[in-house]
Structure formats: structure tokens, C-alpha cells
Amino acid sequence: MFLHIPDVLTPQEVAEFREALGPDAPWVDGARSAGGQAVHHKNNLQLSQGSAQSAKLQALVRAALQRNALFFSAALPRRTFNPLFNKYGDGANHYGDHVDSAVMHSRADSCWVRSDLSCTLFLTPPDDYEGGELLIAEGMGDKRIKLPAGDMVLYPSSTVHQVTPVTRGHRISSFFWVESMVRGLEQRKLLFDMDMALLRLRQRVGETDPSVIALSGTYHNLLRMWADV
Ligand code: NI
């Protein structure tokens, strides 16, 4: 499941992030954090995790996720990896085909997170750079993703993906992984579809319609059957 979530950050927040992630921010070589196969073709910059900027921006991303109902419904998050920040451009400009590690240690909260979903939160307006697309290999062909600043994409961590070379300007984004309460992609997708359909039904017939109440019960009973918390 690929999901585009618009307006995760307000324009003011995007401006705040871009201010904090200027050229003077504590950027370090991104290859230092790559494991296994990835280290050979990861060429980007990453915000130093131990820095004060990182802690402040991580909290802002987490707060934005907390208030986003669409993110909750799609991801059903159990644990979220501490958000990281990267920069492509100025000679450090791509990240070749790779698969994200299955389990990773989230330093800020000192816990292990299984990567069910990968998330990229775009922070640079698409017109400000050339290239820099998130390219995800899919059975039916490749998906190329480049979103407005403040928007986020969610995709299965099991996919092979890359960031294509940035040939003009630079691209800054936040990225992180989510361990879902519902491990299986198919179950999670069914719950999401049902939740979205229920949302539309509630708007049409109201909260107290007996069918809405019954179907809401079914949603929660399925979630109860499949969720690990
Ligand atoms: Ni990746």
C-alpha cells in the first residue's frame, strides 16, 4: 500500500524546518548510518542524531504525526523510529537501490523497531530541485514519488527503492519507519479501507445509524483480532 498524506506539516512548520536545516546544520555523511548492502551506494548527508536540532525537529515530526488521523488509520502505529533528516545535493546526491533493514534501533527512545512501513516527509518544494525522486520498484512497474513540501508518503518497507540523483538544487526530507500494531499488509489494508468507507458513511447517515454502529463494531473486532500492542 502506497499512501500520499497531504499537509502533514503546515507551511509555517515547513519554513521552520528549512530554517533549522540550513547549510550550517550539523550534517554528517549519511553512509555512516547505512547497514549491509546499503553502505556501498548511499551518498547523502544526514543530520547528526546527537544534535540539539535533531531532538527539536524529531519532536515536531512526532507531534505532527500524533494529530494526523489519516496516518493513524493507515499505519496503526505501535512504535515509530525516531525521525531522521537527510539532504541530497551538492555532490552528495543519491541513494541507489536498496531494501530497508527489517529491525532497527531507534536511538532517541532506545528501542527496537520492526520496519513495516517506510515514511518520507518532503521538506523542499519540488520546483526547487531536479531529480531526487523516491523510486519504488513494484510488480507492475516503478513508482516515482516527489511531493509538495509538508506532504508525506507511506510505503511498505519490504520494497526495493532508491532516491534518484539530484541534478539541481537540493532536497531535504525527514524519513523514518513504523512498526504497526497490525503486522500483515493485507489485514492493515482491509482495516484502512473499511475505516475510510465508514468515515464516508458516517458523514452521509450520521453516527447513530444502526448500520454504522454495527460496522464500527466489526472494524474494532477485526482490529482486536489482529492487533498486537
Ligand atoms: Ni530506504
Side-chain angles (χ1 to χ4, degrees):
M1 186 170 84
F2 297 80
L3 184 69
H4 171 184
I5 305 183
D7 305 320
V8 170
L9 300 177
T10 65
Q12 294 91 313
E13 286 173 323
V14 170
E16 202 177 324
F17 274 87
R18 297 188 68 203
E19 166 98 39
L21 294 170
D24 298 332
W27 296 107
V28 296
D29 183 357
R32 281 196 346 211
S33 68
Q37 52 166 293
V39 72
H40 304 295
H41 47 208
K42 185 177 185 186
N43 178 22
N44 67 3
L45 298 173
Q46 203 162 299
L47 189 69
S48 169
Q49 278 204 65
S51 63
Q53 281 99 322
S54 170
K56 182 178 160 224
L57 299 179
Q58 281 177 355
L60 284 174
V61 173
R62 284 190 189 276
L65 297 177
Q66 201 79 49
R67 66 180 187 232
N68 195 297
L70 190 56
F71 169 75
F72 185 85
S73 176
L76 297 169
R78 181 186 188 197
R79 292 197 186 104
T80 304
F81 192 93
N82 52 222
L84 301 174
F85 301 87
N86 62 16
K87 179 181 181 180
Y88 293 86
D90 306 328
N93 65 359
H94 72 279
Y95 190 174
D97 264 342
H98 67 279
V99 177
D100 296 339
S101 299
V103 279
M104 287 176 273
H105 192 256
S106 177
R107 198 197 288 183
D109 25 30
S110 188
C111 70
W112 289 92
V113 176
R114 184 187 64 232
S115 61
D116 294 323
L117 287 159
S118 299
C119 310
T120 300
L121 171 59
F122 289 76
L123 296 171
T124 308
D127 289 346
D128 286 12
Y129 61 100
E130 214 72 62
E133 293 165 304
L134 174 63
L135 194 148
I136 303 170
E138 252 205 315
M140 304 295 278
D142 291 342
K143 259 198 159 48
R144 290 176 173 271
I145 298 165
K146 188 170 183 173
L147 300 180
D151 287 16
M152 185 166 87
V153 62
L154 245 64
Y155 60 100
S157 300
S158 51
T159 55
V160 172
H161 55 273
Q162 62 166 285
V163 175
T164 64
V166 170
T167 54
R168 176 181 64 83
H170 61 256
R171 167 206 198 260
I172 292 172
S173 56
S174 176
F175 64 104
F176 50 90
W177 299 271
V178 175
E179 176 177 323
S180 179
M181 290 186 273
V182 176
R183 182 177 190 148
L185 182 63
E186 286 179 8
Q187 287 90 336
R188 206 183 314 124
K189 168 87 165 65
L190 282 172
L191 287 168
F192 178 62
D193 289 346
M194 192 173 178
D195 195 26
M196 291 298 105
L198 265 167
L199 191 68
R200 290 189 293 272
L201 191 62
R202 266 190 218 106
Q203 283 163 357
R204 259 205 352 246
V205 301
E207 291 280 349
T208 53
D209 183 276
S211 303
V212 168
I213 293 168
L215 283 171
S216 300
T218 305
Y219 171 87
H220 284 285
N221 288 332
L222 287 170
L223 182 56
R224 189 172 287 113
M225 183 159 61
W226 290 329
D228 286 309
V229 292

